[in-house]
Amino acid sequence: MPRPRIGVLALQGDVREHARVLDDLGASATLVRRSAELAAVDGLVLPGGESTVIDKLARAFDLRAPIREAIASGMPMYGTCAGLILLADRIGDGIEGQQTFGGLDVTVRRNAFGGQVESFETELDVPALGAPPVHATFIRAPVVEHVGASARALAALADGRVVAVEQGNLMGTAFHPEVTGETRFHRRFLAKVAAAS
Ligand code: GLN
């Protein structure tokens, strides 16, 4: 099978970390800033960063409509942190005018762990991935406040707050596997790409 061509949305955020994981897993990672680049890939990763900035740049680069069309047509996508926010149908506390691409039937709250302790790490049980637990890094992370009927939770914190979700070819995590050497989410995403192409 040819190497899957995976785009990493490269408007802002931790683009390189995702590209490295994808290349290490045998995919061919390319940076996506234009609709022609999006049209040339089999799947798309939306990195962590700042969702308000990525939203604005996506509109400035005329990528918003093509990304929404790609989601509607079933292109597999995986969003981490800001990327999860961008894939959510609803945000609890976006800034004025903030938009998402949507696709995941969830409501996400930005900066849910804000205040003094903005970042933390924890061991997270993810039944769909099996053992061992995921060492999850949360950096000014969102949580999923509500999981709609079409989406399903993949993981929750000990207090029950959902931090990973999936819906068809879309997946989102509030944390950053790409910075800790955790590859199982990217593998799961690549399996969706293989099944879709
Ligand atoms: N707080 C950021 C946002 O609202 C997300 C942080 C991250 O991606 N690490 O987009």
Side-chain angles (χ1 to χ4, degrees):
M1 198 184 127
R3 293 169 78 194
R5 296 161 305 168
I6 306 298
V8 182
L9 186 62
L11 301 173
Q12 189 265 340
D14 71 333
V15 173
R16 281 169 192 223
E17 288 79 358
H18 279 289
R20 192 171 308 127
V21 174
L22 292 163
D23 280 332
D24 285 350
L25 291 176
S28 171
T30 63
L31 306 190
V32 168
R33 292 192 189 91
R34 316 242 165 238
S35 62
E37 292 161 347
L38 179 65
V41 297
D42 306 312
L44 185 70
V45 168
L46 295 86
E50 177 48 53
S51 58
T52 56
V53 173
I54 298 173
D55 164 39
K56 278 186 194 149
L57 290 175
R59 286 186 262 166
F61 280 65
D62 292 325
L63 266 175
R64 179 177 160 76
I67 289 174
R68 284 170 59 83
E69 282 159 23
I71 291 169
S73 74
M75 180 187 282
M77 295 196 192
Y78 172 33
T80 61
C81 204
L84 162 65
I85 296 168
L86 287 159
L87 288 177
D89 281 347
R90 299 167 294 275
I91 26 182
D93 59 349
I95 64 164
E96 178 75 29
Q98 181 174 2
Q99 296 181 357
T100 67
F101 304 130
L104 287 170
D105 179 15
V106 298
T107 307
V108 165
R109 177 159 298 272
R110 296 174 56 235
N111 303 327
F113 307 95
Q116 280 196 321
V117 184
E118 291 192 324
S119 305
F120 65 98
E121 300 183 14
T122 190
E123 301 301 311
L124 198 62
D125 187 34
V126 185
L129 299 183
V134 168
H135 185 74
T137 306
F138 292 80
I139 305 167
R140 299 188 65 231
V143 292
V144 178
E145 273 186 339
H146 174 74
V147 181
S150 305
R152 76 168 179 128
L154 288 180
L157 295 170
D159 64 9
R161 286 188 288 179
V162 172
V163 289
V165 290
E166 184 172 63
Q167 181 177 337
N169 280 338
L170 304 180
M171 186 169 66
T173 58
F175 48 91
H176 291 270
E178 72 282 6
V179 302
T180 52
E182 169 62 60
T183 58
R184 286 173 289 170
F185 285 100
H186 290 81
R187 286 179 200 273
R188 188 174 178 87
F189 162 69
L190 289 176
K192 292 179 194 291
V193 173
S197 349

